[in-house]
């Protein structure tokens, strides 16, 4: 089949850069490089489907040409440029530049830009305000301060004068809990851009933040959970573009209760054994665009969440309208994950043109009894996905054994329980054009609740070949899930299932195993 005609879309306009996405049916990158022209002159040759044209002038109109397709785009206005060195920053990799960096950010006027030039800037937590751009240029490195005892703490909950709970600041695994501030904090802000060709490195390690995975740092009122690298809270119209993010203390990028978010053309990395270093976890967010990101992390690459039941009972804030495209998940526990903390629901997700290599799971939905009646995963679409050397391509696990009560009989019992306000639900899941090579454990392992079966699974054009040397492994994490190797499709507790155009090669045992499927 001939590739589709390239469709060029502007996805991020910045003061000195423009980012585009090509939609032509290829996955993450094309077979051959493409030539991109700016105002008639060759500006870039790339095979990537998401690319950035940098070094542009603010508030300037440009004609972008790709093949026979042209787009006219204008960069954003920039009223002033601030150099943190003028505020006292050294950029020598030794001096603490926190105060100088924060002074430059605080002094930046509306529609201004703080620009980090080449250098190594050591910093503690920074707080970004509305209507500014923060550019980290090529050769510039923002480095997290390695001491753990002098990072400020964000309280889990904020109250008004009458003691009424109003909003949340700190959040840890779906609960409003005190957390150390992130290296970059965007709180109650709008129109913020953080971009460039530089790097933000949290410099976390097992001798610092990664040493305590299950307990907070500090004592008593000063105890708080590990920080994120980037925290976005109660904000809107936020763009992160072009940068490399490395070695986060916990989740790398965590947007919470925010909307109109763009994350594009990023590198997100952490060692494979680093704890809870998820790549990008939108939680209770709406209208999120994720494109052109290369992940290699110690936990899930992308995890869509919406809090635990305690937060859902206070305010129902689902995650809605998420688009994920042209990303490469190279390593991690799960490539695209929904849950398990999704007590407010996750709706209207579209994942397309992505590449997964070496992840434990490909497409993964995880929940459990106790997440609540509003913990609904619905209208989830996966299309044109390529996987190689993935453990299990497609997982739905309704018995996920997280949290202190995760291994209790209530969570793990395979017999039906009464449906009540703690019962989650999953349905309307569609997979099309999913092609997987060297799969190790299972093509699909789908496990619904007996009292609340998965309602609506539609799979069309699903091709899986297995590694002949695969060892047994666990498709997902639950007491009732055995280790398997080269298992075909297993579906348990589901209804309205449609399977078309399946091709499984090298499986052991039954090709398709159905249990309580209506």
């Amino acid at each position: 089949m001939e590739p589709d005609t390239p469709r060029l879309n502007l996805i991020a306009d910045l003061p000195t850069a423009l980012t585009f996405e090509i939609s032509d049916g290829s996955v993450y990158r094309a077979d051959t490089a493409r030539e991109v022209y700016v105002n008639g002159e060759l500006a870039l040759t790339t095979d990537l489907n998401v690319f950035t044209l940098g070094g542009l002038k603010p508030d300037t109109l440009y004609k972008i040409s790709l093949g026979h397709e042209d787009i006219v785009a204008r960069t954003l206005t920039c009223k002033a440029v601030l150099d943190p060195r003028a505020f006292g920053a050294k950029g020598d990799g030794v001096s603490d530049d926190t105060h100088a960096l924060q002074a430059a950010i605080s002094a930046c006027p509306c529609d201004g830009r703080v620009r980090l030039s080449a250098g190594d800037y050591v910093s503690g937590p920074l707080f970004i305000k509305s209507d500014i751009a923060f550019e980290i240029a090529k050769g510039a490195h923002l480095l997290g301060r390695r001491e753990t005892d002098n990072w400020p703490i964000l309280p889990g909950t904020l109250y008004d004068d009458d003691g009424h709970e109003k909003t949340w600041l700190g959040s840890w695994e779906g609960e409003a809990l005190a957390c150390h501030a992130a290296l970059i904090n965007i709180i109650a802000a709008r129109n913020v851009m953080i971009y460039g060709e530089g790097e933000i490195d949290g410099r976390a390690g097992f001798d610092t933040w990664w040493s305590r995975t299950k307990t907070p740092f500090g004592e008593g009122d000063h105890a708080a959970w590990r920080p994120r690298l980037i925290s976005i809270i109660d904000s809107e119209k936020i763009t992160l573009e072009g940068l490399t993010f490395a070695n986060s203390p916990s989740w790398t990028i965590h947007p919470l209760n925010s909307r109109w978010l763009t994350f594009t053309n990023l590198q997100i990395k952490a060692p494979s054994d680093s704890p809870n270093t998820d790549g990008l976890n939108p939680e209770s967010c709406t209208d999120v665009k994720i494109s052109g990101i290369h992940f290699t992390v110690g936990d899930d690459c992308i995890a869509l969440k919406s809090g635990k039941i305690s937060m859902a009972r206070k305010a129902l804030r689902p995650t809605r309208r998420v688009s994920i495209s042209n990303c490469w998940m190279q390593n991690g526990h799960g490539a695209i994950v929904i849950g398990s903390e999704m007590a407010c629901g996750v709706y209207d997700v579209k994942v397309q043109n992505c590449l997964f290599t070496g992840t434990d799971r490909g497409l993964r939905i995880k929940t459990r009894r106790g997440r609540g009646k509003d913990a609904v995963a619905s209208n989830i679409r996966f299309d044109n996905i390529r996987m190689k050397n993935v453990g299990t391509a497609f997982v739905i696990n309704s018995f996920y054994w997280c949290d202190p009560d995760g291994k209790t009989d209530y969570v793990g019992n395979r017999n039906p329980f009464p449906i009540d306000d703690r019962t989650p639900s999953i349905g309307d899941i569609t997979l099309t054009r999913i092609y997987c090579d060297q799969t190790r454990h299972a093509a699909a392992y789908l496990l619904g609740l007996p009292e609340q079966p998965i309602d609506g699974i539609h799979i069309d054009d699903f091709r899986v070949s297995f590694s002949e040397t695969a060892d047994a492994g666990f498709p997902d994490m639950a007491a009732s899930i055995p280790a398997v190797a080269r298992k075909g499709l297993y579906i348990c507790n589901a209804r309205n299932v449609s399977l078309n155009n399946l091709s499984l090669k090298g499986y052991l045992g039954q090709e398709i195993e159905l249990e309580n499927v209506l």
Side-chain angles (χ1 to χ4, degrees):
M1 179 183 298
E2 293 295 322
D4 298 336
T5 300
R7 289 185 294 131
L8 189 62
N9 302 296
L10 176 67
I11 55 176
D13 49 339
L14 303 153
T16 58
L18 297 168
T19 299
F20 297 88
E21 181 171 27
I22 298 170
S23 301
D24 65 355
S26 58
V27 172
Y28 184 69
R29 55 169 31 108
D31 293 335
T32 58
R34 311 176 181 97
E35 294 182 339
V36 182
Y37 290 81
V38 177
N39 294 338
E41 296 185 2
L42 180 63
L44 179 68
T45 300
T46 181
D47 62 349
L48 295 175
N49 288 347
V50 174
F51 63 88
T52 298
L53 299 171
L56 306 179
K57 294 181 179 180
D59 193 22
T60 301
L61 203 63
Y62 291 93
K63 179 183 177 182
I64 315 302
S65 303
L66 176 68
H68 298 292
E69 189 170 2
D70 297 329
I71 284 184
V72 176
R74 183 182 295 275
T75 51
L76 296 183
T77 298
C78 179
K79 292 183 177 179
V81 181
L82 288 77
D83 185 344
R85 292 179 186 269
F87 292 78
K90 302 297 184 183
D92 58 12
V94 178
S95 303
D96 189 334
D97 288 329
T98 307
H99 296 306
L101 293 169
Q102 189 63 61
I105 292 166
S106 298
C108 187
C110 180
D111 295 330
R113 179 167 106 255
V114 175
R115 185 179 189 275
L116 278 190
S117 55
D120 296 331
Y121 301 83
V122 178
S123 181
L126 300 172
F127 293 81
I128 311 298
K129 64 180 186 177
S130 296
D131 300 309
I132 68 168
F134 186 18
E135 181 184 3
I136 302 174
K138 186 175 183 179
H141 301 87
L142 180 63
L143 307 175
R145 198 164 52 198
R146 283 183 51 79
E147 299 82 7
T148 62
D149 57 357
N150 57 358
W151 286 53
I153 293 173
L154 299 182
T157 305
L158 297 182
Y159 302 88
D160 64 14
D161 289 337
D162 297 321
H164 298 133
E165 184 174 316
K166 302 305 291 184
T167 191
W168 308 305
L169 277 185
S171 170
W172 184 260
E173 295 186 349
E175 301 278 12
L177 297 170
C179 294
H180 289 280
L183 182 57
I184 297 289
N185 301 270
I186 304 172
I187 301 174
R190 59 177 290 133
N191 297 325
V192 172
M193 293 158 282
I194 301 179
Y195 77 103
E197 297 180 71
E199 182 174 33
I200 299 177
D201 187 343
R203 296 200 298 176
F206 288 99
D207 58 337
T208 58
W209 297 112
W210 297 343
S211 64
R212 299 175 68 172
T213 60
K214 301 297 183 182
T215 57
F217 281 72
E219 303 295 336
D221 293 339
H222 298 287
W225 292 94
R226 284 179 283 158
R228 317 303 190 197
L229 191 62
I230 310 293
S231 182
I232 303 167
I233 303 172
D234 291 328
S235 296
E236 60 184 34
K237 297 188 71 175
I238 310 299
T239 298
L240 271 59
E241 187 279 335
L243 298 166
T244 296
F245 299 98
N247 302 311
S248 175
S250 62
W251 296 352
T252 305
I253 303 173
H254 181 207
L256 175 66
N257 299 337
S258 297
R259 60 178 179 171
W260 301 326
L261 310 175
T262 300
F263 306 97
T264 185
N265 197 22
L266 306 174
Q267 303 279 329
I268 300 178
K269 59 185 183 180
S272 61
D273 60 348
S274 55
N276 307 114
T277 52
D278 295 39
L280 173 53
N281 290 5
E283 183 172 12
S284 296
C285 292
T286 58
D287 299 299
V288 182
K289 170 70 172 173
I290 301 170
S291 62
I293 301 181
H294 180 195
F295 296 87
T296 174
V297 294
D299 209 311
D300 294 329
C301 297
I302 296 176
L304 307 180
K305 300 175 179 288
S306 61
K308 291 180 180 173
I309 194 169
S310 62
M311 297 181 78
R313 286 170 173 168
K314 296 170 184 176
L316 196 62
R317 296 172 174 171
T319 287
R320 291 184 183 273
R321 295 186 297 278
V322 179
S323 171
I324 302 170
S325 58
N326 286 303
C327 293
W328 178 16
M329 290 69 173
Q330 187 173 10
N331 288 301
H333 291 182
I336 305 290
V337 178
I338 297 174
S340 72
E341 310 95 86
M342 57 170 182
C344 296
V346 176
Y347 301 87
D348 309 325
V349 177
K350 185 174 183 180
V351 181
Q352 60 183 343
N353 305 332
C354 289
L355 173 65
F356 308 158
T357 59
T359 58
D360 294 340
R361 290 111 195 157
L363 310 168
R364 183 186 189 193
I365 301 172
K366 53 184 182 179
T367 189
R368 42 153 290 188
R369 297 185 183 106
R371 285 293 180 248
K373 63 181 176 60
D374 296 305
V376 177
S378 180
N379 191 24
I380 313 297
R381 304 286 183 264
F382 302 108
D383 179 56
N384 200 28
I385 309 295
R386 304 291 182 272
M387 305 187 205
K388 185 174 183 179
N389 192 30
V390 168
T392 300
F394 179 32
V395 175
I396 296 178
N397 177 12
S398 299
F399 295 87
Y400 186 61
W401 64 9
C402 60
D403 301 336
D405 66 339
K407 297 183 181 181
T408 62
D409 184 69
Y410 172 70
V411 174
N413 195 310
R414 286 290 196 101
N415 295 311
F417 277 50
I419 295 177
D420 56 25
D421 64 359
R422 300 173 296 171
T423 309
S425 61
I426 296 172
D428 192 12
I429 313 297
T430 299
L431 279 71
T432 52
R433 299 191 296 169
I434 311 295
Y435 308 146
C436 316
D437 294 324
Q438 299 180 29
T439 307
R440 302 192 305 274
H441 304 144
Y445 201 97
L446 313 182
L447 184 57
L449 290 172
E451 67 270 24
Q452 189 84 285
I454 305 164
D455 191 356
I457 301 170
H458 311 283
I459 300 177
D460 190 1
D461 197 6
F462 186 40
R463 308 178 196 175
V464 181
S465 64
F466 289 92
S467 169
E468 294 182 357
T469 59
D471 294 327
F474 294 98
D476 210 88
M477 301 164 66
S480 56
I481 296 179
V484 297
R486 299 164 61 184
K487 189 175 183 66
L489 267 71
Y490 173 73
I491 305 175
C492 178
N493 301 325
R495 56 180 173 241
N496 297 317
V497 176
S498 173
L499 305 175
N500 299 294
N501 301 315
L502 304 183
S503 175
L504 275 62
K505 297 180 179 179
Y507 59 87
L508 300 176
Q510 295 178 251
E511 181 180 21
I512 301 173
E513 185 178 349
L514 305 179
E515 182 179 341
N516 190 29
V517 174
L518 304 177

